[in-house]
Amino acid sequence: MGEPTIGGTLTFLFTDIEASTRRWQQHPEAMREALVRHDSLIAGAVEGMGGRIFKHTGDGVCCVFSSARAAIDAAVHAQRAIAAQVWEEVGGLRVRMALHTGEAEERDGDYFGQSLNRVARVMAVAHGGQILVSDATASLLRDGDLDVVLRDLGEHELRDIARPERLHQVEAPGLDHDFPPPRTGEVVQHNLPAMRTSFVGRGEAVGAVVELVRTERLVSLVGIGGTGKTRLALEVAQAVLGSFPGGVYFVDLSAIVDGSLVLTAVAGAIGAVVTGVGDDTSVEEIVVAALATRRTLLVVDNCEHLIGDAADVVDMLLERCPGVTVLATTREALDVEGERTWPVPSLPSTEARELFVARARAADARFALDEGNLAHVEEVCRRLDGIPLAIELAAARVAHLAPADLVARLDDRFRLLTGGHRRRAQRQQTLQAAIDWSHDLLNPAEQTLLRRLSVFAGGFTLAAVDGMALTDGDAVDLLGSLVAKSLVAAEVAAGVTRYRMLETIRIYAADRLFASGEADEMRTRHRDWFLAWIESRPMDHLISRVDVALELEAELDNIRVALDWSEATRALDEGVRIATSLLHVWALRGRHQEAITRLARLAAEPSLSDAQRARCLGAQAFVEMARGQSPAMSEAARACVALDPEGPLAPLSLAHLALAGITDPGRYDEGIEGSIAAEALARRLDQPSIGVLAIGVRCYYWLLRDELDKVKEAATATPATPTFGDLNVRMPAVAAFLLSGDPDGALLHAEIAVEMYSGSFASSVMGMAALELGDRETAEAYAALAAREHLELPVPLAVGDCLVLYAALALHDGDPERAAVLLEAVWGALGFAAFRSPASYALWRWYRHRAKRQLDREVLARARALGAAMDADTALREEMARQAATTAP
């Protein structure tokens, strides 16, 4: 059977796993594996019958066929395949399926039109294991030579379908036949507003909230304005109409300003008559009388500005009306007993893009997503934080602004995103108004803190808020209130709570801060606090300790803001002190160019003192060393020592000067003497980790001289400390022990390196030591880890270590030619600069010699030529893929 046509009359097959949310909650890991099997079985059946899966919807699929017969056969084969599997690990698994034939339009691989709405509604009334067919599809099959039976189930009302639909059940050998009637039931009364635009994204959220609404009595959708809480609630309400025979009613509180009228709004929504109420009868009694014996869902929308009154009404209804369930939308939880909150976050990138495209096409039918505008559309969605309202307002502009023009104007987003549909609630007509709505509900202390928090970038801690004195009240309570109101998010990582704002909220708050006249003062407080925070760590630790580096990494965005403010206000002393305290982060996290640009700009300031300029040059030398630029490192280090021979970075610069001779055998003695001088100065200035670094420099020279015993003795005598300096001792030690035929000693120092320092070199040497001990499985695991560590943060000096380990694996596997290719890729791409240190170079040379001994001259020349032509990172990715394919079951 051929591929389905692009448009016209097609047959659609939709599937869904019954009660999947409960299974995900009870068996999350098993469900991941089960879903992979499920998807594979359905894909095999569909593709085997010439169909195509064009969309995955959570735990189901949407398929299209050019033939109704092919679609029926695919459904039957899929149900049989699923029934033949064992699903005990997830408590059983049953799939409901539906088919319908009709017109549809294809765009970008997806399908649109009423036919898809109808097949979705048919599937919604099916039971797990059942295949239901619409009358349109059945009519195409009645005269065919089918080995299935279509049982007529009669006409049924389907949600949002104007006319009743005659349904048919597919019966075939191997399938269950006995099912309850379709889940249609009687037509449920409701007042849900008709939606004029498609619902995009949040498929998993709809399913999860539907399950909650069916099992809990109060579910609150919580989030900031514009995240789509109301639309999600309406979609859920439509999906559960059949579960509430007493009706589903939408109670809109947005226009109510008097909290005493909340109950009256409920009465109006359910149609209870409250006019003419006398002294003996209250609105409460009328509403309770109307709902007391009915299983009813109330969708109470926009509770935030009447939070206390809304909570009281909901609490009363839940207590007095046992059949009532409430689905609320609110900026903060109602705080009613039994409440289950469901945070409504921004849309993920894919769904945000889908929403933009859908609304852009509504604004301009000519709009199409293509290679020319894809990156700009994604940038718009990213910079608008995936907020649905903001994306819809932006997409409405495509009739006269291309996506590239939208990106260019997003810095002024609150002026750009105006002009919403005139029938939209006023607070939703602009992004500014939507956030104003939330802001104006804050008390003065909350408003003050919110605008002051805008000085942070990339998140912040409670300690910073307290330290900067951003509030006169209790920071814990005020921050907690802003979190509860969805304006600030709290995240816990490594036992520390960090707070953050969406960038859109931060920009809004920054505008408020500027208008308040406090902006300069708050930025200065921010800069001064982070400077004091950095300087509370000793200079030695800022250069060397890994744990301190990770702390600094978390605050790097804030530190950049502090540096920018220092430069903008000509506070050069503060700028120098901050910039030169980031050495570990600048150098070892791959931010070399950013660091050098900052440091060079500061060092060029004519008003700096010699000591200040020396600090900048010493820091630059450290970064140049990490980047592998020896001449630039030497120049900066020499200038640092000349300007301030006893300054805080002088020992570090002396150590770098000592490294300058590693490529010249005639300067080895000079390098060793320089390292001794650097160690002595570090001890005098109480900088032990730099003293350890100086010992590591000597070890490098001994390694280059093949004085392996001196390296091993020095490493054994140096206590392990979590510093960059110590790593420079362990690196030559691992090489020395391996080269001297002592893999146990190499493993000991490799384990110290891995324990103290996560990075591609530590992982690489751990793998080499394991391999020399015959543990190939561990070596391969460390090779994959080292490669991932490098590719996540590409640093030129790291790729060589990774490739050398993969070459070692190739030698172990009896493939010296492959090893020679990989080793030459290291040298061919970068030369001596490919090596992190003489230790890396020594290991490369050792494995290269072992490969050379196993190859004849012609094969070796061919392998080296091939390797020299390869890009190092490309070679690494190819080797990772090759190893993964080799070891796959």
Side-chain angles (χ1 to χ4, degrees), residues 70 241 345 433 620 625 647 677:
L241 277 173
Q620 185 174 339
M625 177 276 301

Side-chain angles (χ1 to χ4, degrees), residues 245-294:
V248 175
Y249 300 100
F250 182 71
V251 185
D252 185 3
L253 302 183
S254 62
I256 297 176
V257 295
D258 183 350
S260 66
L261 297 179
V262 172
L263 199 53
T264 302
V266 175
I270 67 175
V273 179
V274 297
T275 57
V277 174
D279 294 336
D280 298 329
T281 310
S282 67
V283 177
E284 178 177 325
E285 295 306 323
I286 291 174
V287 171
V288 169
L291 297 176
T293 60
R294 296 161 59 183

Side-chain angles (χ1 to χ4, degrees), residues 260-530:
S260 66
L261 297 179
V262 172
L263 199 53
T264 302
V266 175
I270 67 175
V273 179
V274 297
T275 57
V277 174
D279 294 336
D280 298 329
T281 310
S282 67
V283 177
E284 178 177 325
E285 295 306 323
I286 291 174
V287 171
V288 169
L291 297 176
T293 60
R294 296 161 59 183
R295 178 158 170 71
T296 305
L297 174 66
L298 299 178
V299 180
V300 185
D301 192 42
N302 294 303
C303 298
E304 51 272 354
H305 62 302
L306 303 167
I307 192 74
D309 296 290
D312 290 343
V313 169
V314 168
D315 193 29
M316 181 276 296
L317 289 173
L318 294 177
E319 181 178 353
R320 299 192 62 187
C321 304
V324 166
T325 294
V326 175
L327 175 61
T329 74
T330 176
R331 189 191 56 186
E332 57 182 305
L334 299 181
D335 197 23
V336 172
E337 184 179 358
E339 181 180 27
R340 291 289 299 274
T341 59
W342 181 272
V344 181
S346 301
L347 291 172
S349 57
T350 300
E351 294 183 358
R353 186 180 66 222
E354 290 176 1
L355 178 62
F356 183 97
V357 171
R359 299 302 183 257
R361 284 176 175 157
D364 183 354
R366 299 167 299 174
F367 180 82
L369 190 67
D370 54 37
E371 291 184 1
N373 61 27
L374 174 61
H376 294 119
V377 169
E378 291 180 337
E379 178 70 1
V380 168
C381 295
R382 183 188 67 80
R383 292 183 60 188
L384 292 177
D385 298 307
I387 299 174
L389 173 61
I391 291 169
E392 290 189 352
L393 293 171
R397 295 289 192 182
V398 299
H400 61 90
L401 282 177
D405 297 321
L406 290 174
V407 170
R409 288 163 173 78
L410 276 179
D411 286 339
D412 197 10
R413 65 189 69 186
F414 293 110
R415 183 173 292 119
L416 172 68
L417 303 182
T418 61
H421 195 282
R422 66 180 181 273
R423 294 185 181 274
R424 190 193 292 267
Q426 183 176 359
R427 64 186 173 80
Q428 294 180 331
Q429 289 184 15
T430 71
L431 181 61
Q432 175 86 39
I435 302 177
D436 278 342
W437 171 260
S438 291
H439 176 270
D440 292 346
L441 294 173
L442 301 176
N443 64 42
E446 292 168 338
Q447 291 179 350
T448 297
L449 179 57
L450 182 69
R451 69 174 180 260
R452 290 177 174 181
L453 292 176
S454 67
V455 298
F456 291 111
F460 54 93
T461 62
L462 179 61
V465 175
D466 275 335
M468 291 166 57
L470 295 186
T471 175
D472 295 331
D474 188 320
V476 174
D477 288 344
L478 285 173
L479 264 178
S481 181
L482 293 177
V483 169
K485 293 173 172 62
S486 305
L487 291 167
V488 173
E491 301 168 339
V492 178
V496 177
T497 301
R498 286 187 67 80
Y499 300 87
R500 64 175 179 82
M501 289 190 286
L502 293 178
E503 184 63 12
T504 298
I505 301 297
R506 194 186 71 81
I507 290 173
Y508 173 92
D511 288 344
R512 291 273 179 169
L513 183 67
F514 180 80
S516 73
E518 297 180 317
D520 288 1
E521 179 188 352
M522 291 302 117
R523 288 172 181 168
T524 300
R525 284 195 204 179
H526 176 275
R527 191 267 320 283
D528 291 346
W529 189 87
F530 276 100

Side-chain angles (χ1 to χ4, degrees), residues 516-782:
S516 73
E518 297 180 317
D520 288 1
E521 179 188 352
M522 291 302 117
R523 288 172 181 168
T524 300
R525 284 195 204 179
H526 176 275
R527 191 267 320 283
D528 291 346
W529 189 87
F530 276 100
L531 173 58
W533 177 75
I534 292 172
E535 291 189 335
S536 67
R537 286 109 175 104
M539 170 65 72
D540 187 50
H541 287 178
L542 291 170
I543 294 169
S544 303
R545 286 197 44 171
V546 176
D547 54 345
V548 173
L550 295 177
E551 282 187 276
L552 292 171
E553 178 82 9
E555 298 292 1
L556 189 53
D557 286 334
N558 279 310
I559 294 169
R560 288 185 177 118
V561 168
L563 279 169
D564 290 341
W565 186 242
S566 297
E567 292 188 35
T569 57
R570 305 294 296 164
L572 298 179
D573 181 64
E574 288 84 349
V576 168
R577 287 155 62 192
I578 294 172
T580 58
S581 296
L582 297 175
L583 300 186
H584 203 126
V585 177
W586 291 139
L588 301 182
R589 303 298 289 175
R591 296 182 173 87
H592 306 129
Q593 192 55 53
E594 177 185 2
I596 290 168
T597 300
R598 290 248 190 210
L599 292 166
R601 189 164 62 231
L602 284 167
E605 287 287 345
S607 59
L608 290 188
S609 67
D610 285 351
Q612 289 172 325
R613 188 168 287 107
R615 285 189 65 162
C616 293
L617 291 166
Q620 185 174 339
F622 185 85
V623 178
E624 296 285 12
M625 177 276 301
R627 193 167 64 159
Q629 302 296 317
S630 293
M633 174 200 74
S634 298
E635 181 181 351
R638 189 172 290 107
C640 171
V641 175
L643 284 170
D644 192 9
E646 295 284 328
L649 292 184
L652 188 64
S653 295
L654 281 175
H656 291 151
L657 282 173
L659 281 172
I662 58 176
T663 59
D664 183 358
R667 296 178 61 192
Y668 286 1
D669 288 340
E670 176 187 332
I672 291 173
E673 291 173 2
S675 73
I676 294 171
E679 182 185 2
L681 181 57
R683 285 179 177 172
R684 189 160 67 250
L685 297 180
D686 192 26
Q687 296 181 359
S689 68
I690 300 179
V692 173
L693 171 62
I695 295 172
V697 170
R698 285 204 294 286
C699 289
Y700 289 152
Y701 283 110
W702 288 330
L703 191 63
L704 290 170
R705 283 177 161 179
D706 291 325
E707 297 180 54
L708 304 183
D709 287 341
K710 289 185 177 180
V711 176
K712 292 190 288 185
E713 289 171 7
T716 302
T718 303
T721 57
T723 68
F724 176 73
D726 188 84
L727 182 65
N728 282 270
V729 172
R730 306 303 152 193
M731 292 161 73
V734 172
F737 279 100
L738 283 177
L739 269 58
S740 61
D742 185 355
D744 288 308
L747 182 63
L748 172 65
H749 290 279
E751 286 175 339
I752 294 173
V754 167
E755 182 179 349
M756 294 188 307
Y757 182 82
S758 61
S760 55
F761 178 83
S763 298
S764 295
V765 295
M766 188 72 183
M768 294 175 202
L771 192 62
E772 294 305 311
L773 288 168
D775 188 351
R776 190 196 186 285
E777 184 177 351
T778 297
E780 184 183 341
Y782 274 107

